[in-house]
Amino acid sequence: MAGRRPGQTQTREHILSAARTQFGALGYGGATIRGIAAEAEVNPALIHHFFGTKEQVFVEALSLPVNPTVMAEVVLNGPRDHAGERLVRLMLGLWSAPEPGKSFLALLRSVSTNEQAAKMLREFLERAVLTKVATALGVPRLRMTAMAAQLVGLAMVRYVVRVEPMASATDDEVVAVVAPVIQHYLDG
Amino acid sequence: MAGRRPGQTQTREHILSAARTQFGALGYGGATIRGIAAEAEVNPALIHHFFGTKEQVFVEALSLPVNPTVMAEVVLNGPRDHAGERLVRLMLGLWSAPEPGKSFLALLRSVSTNEQAAKMLREFLERAVLTKVATALGVPRLRMTAMAAQLVGLAMVRYVVRVEPMASATDDEVVAVVAPVIQHYLDG
C-alpha cells in the first residue's frame, strides 16, 4: 500500500465491497465492471485504473490466494521443462507469506459452508483459469483440473490440516516430491 | 443396518457420541477404548465387539469418507502396478455414493472452521494412516502425504467446488488422468 493516499485506499475498499455484492448476486459470469461501478457509484474507468480486468477485481475482492494471470506468466516464463517446479515454488511462496494459509483457509471456509461462494469460485476457475491458462499452455482441461486438485490438496494437507511430515517439510523437499507430478500434468 | 436390533443401533449411536466427546477432549492419541467405554457407561468389550479397534471407532464417529484399513487392503490386494488405479476407483466409489461428497463436505467444513477437528484429523492421519499404510506399502511418509493431497484435492475439485470438466467426467476418465500420478507416488 506504500505511496497510496488514504483516499485511494478507501475508494479501493469501497469498490471491492461493491464487487463482492455484485459477484454474490450475479455470479462471476454475470457481474460486470460497469455493474460494479454503478453499485460503487464510481466511474468504470476508475475500476480499470485500479484493478485492470474483472478477473483482477474478483481475485482481490475474494482475497484469492492464487492469481491465475500470475500463474500463467510464471509457467510460460522460462524453460517449459521446469514449469512444474516454478509453479510449485510460486504456490508455496504465496501460501506461506505473510500468514501461512490464512487466506486459503478463509476461502476453504466459505466454499465448504456456502454454496454461493462455491458457485462463484467454480465459475471463475472454469472461465478465467481453465479457459485462459489451459489454452495458453496447450494442456487439456481435464488434466488441468487434476493438476489444480494436486495444488489445492497440497495447500490443505500442508497449511490447513497440517499433516506431518508435509507441514514441516522445507520448500525444496516439497518441490522435489510434487513438482514432477505438476510437470507430468503440464507435459501429458 | 439390516438385521440389527433397534437396541443395538441405539447402543452404537450412544458409543459413537461418547467417542466424539472423548476424541474432542483428548485428541485421537489421548482417547482410549477404555475411556470411551467409561464415558458411554458400557463394557469396553462391547466397543471391541461393535467396532474392532479405536481407529474404526474414530472412522465411524467422524463419518470419515476414507477408511485407512480398507485403503491399505485395496492397495495391497492385487498387482502392485495397478494399485494406483484401484485406489482411485475406491475413492471415487466412496465419494460418489450415496450422496456425492456429502460426508467429505461435512468433514471439510469442520476442519476449516474448527481447529480442534483439524487437530484430531491431523493426529489420526499421522498415526493411523501414515504410520500403518506408508509402512505396509514401503512408501516414504512425505510422498504418502503428497499422494493424500492429490486425492483430497480431487474430492474438492470434483465434489465440493465441482469444477468442470472434472465434475462431470466419468470414473474411467478420472482414473485415466489421476491413477498414473497415484501409481507414481506409490512407486517413487
Side-chain angles (χ1 to χ4, degrees), chain A residues 65 95 99-109 112 151-164 166-167, chain B residues 107-123 125-126 152 156:
Chain A
W95 291 334
E99 292 182 56
K102 202 189 154 202
S103 66
F104 184 79
L105 190 59
L107 181 68
L108 191 67
R109 205 168 277 157
S112 65
L151 293 171
V152 164
L154 176 62
M156 285 206 59
V157 167
R158 185 165 160 89
Y159 301 108
V160 179
V161 187
R162 298 200 302 282
V163 180
E164 294 297 355
M166 183 58 87
Chain B
L107 181 67
L108 192 66
R109 206 168 276 156
S110 32
V111 165
S112 65
T113 54
N114 178 344
E115 166 54 23
Q116 198 181 47
K119 183 168 173 282
M120 263 196 289
L121 185 66
R122 171 165 67 245
E123 256 193 282
L125 288 173
E126 287 170 8
V152 165
M156 286 207 58

Side-chain angles (χ1 to χ4, degrees), chain A residues 104-105 108-115 118-119 121-122 125-126 130 141-143 145-150 152-157 160-166 169 173-174 177-178 180-181 184-185, chain B residues 104-105 108-115 118-119 121-122 125-126 130 141-143 145-150 152-157 160-166 169 173-174 177-178 180-181 184-185:
Chain A
F104 184 79
L105 190 59
L108 191 67
R109 205 168 277 157
S110 32
V111 165
S112 65
T113 54
N114 179 343
E115 167 54 21
K119 183 167 173 283
L121 185 67
R122 171 165 67 245
L125 288 173
E126 287 170 7
L130 288 177
R141 291 164 65 103
L142 184 62
R143 222 163 64 213
T145 53
M147 186 183 96
Q150 172 72 80
V152 164
L154 176 62
M156 285 206 59
V157 167
V160 179
V161 187
R162 298 200 302 282
V163 180
E164 294 297 355
M166 183 58 87
E173 285 167 338
V174 177
V177 170
V178 178
V181 164
H184 160 81
Y185 280 129
Chain B
F104 184 79
L105 190 59
L108 192 66
R109 206 168 276 156
S110 32
V111 165
S112 65
T113 54
N114 178 344
E115 166 54 23
K119 183 168 173 282
L121 185 66
R122 171 165 67 245
L125 288 173
E126 287 170 8
L130 288 176
R141 292 164 65 104
L142 184 62
R143 222 163 65 215
T145 53
M147 187 183 95
Q150 172 72 81
V152 165
L154 176 61
M156 286 207 58
V157 167
V160 180
V161 188
R162 298 199 301 280
V163 181
E164 294 297 352
M166 182 57 87
E173 286 167 336
V174 177
V177 170
V178 177
V181 164
H184 160 80
Y185 280 130

Side-chain angles (χ1 to χ4, degrees), chain A residues 17-91:
Chain A
S17 166
R20 280 186 287 268
T21 306
Q22 289 279 304
F23 285 125
L26 304 171
Y28 179 73
T32 60
I33 294 270
R34 184 170 296 274
I36 293 167
E39 174 86 31
E41 301 183 331
V42 301
N43 193 303
L46 191 66
I47 300 186
H48 285 295
H49 169 70
F50 275 144
F51 302 99
T53 62
K54 179 171 87 169
E55 179 187 310
Q56 296 308 309
V57 177
F58 187 84
V59 166
E60 298 222 22
L62 271 77
S63 302
L64 290 189
V66 173
N67 184 331
T69 301
V70 174
M71 227 176 102
E73 273 167 16
V74 161
V75 173
L76 292 171
N77 242 325
R80 174 75 183 231
D81 59 344
H82 286 87
E85 174 171 347
R86 288 199 300 281
L87 193 51
V88 174
R89 286 197 189 279
L90 168 74
M91 294 304 197

Side-chain angles (χ1 to χ4, degrees), chain B residues 35-59:
Chain B
I36 295 167
E39 175 86 30
E41 300 184 331
V42 301
N43 193 304
L46 192 66
I47 301 185
H48 285 294
H49 170 71
F50 275 145
F51 302 99
T53 62
K54 179 171 87 169
E55 180 187 310
Q56 296 308 310
V57 177
F58 188 85
V59 167

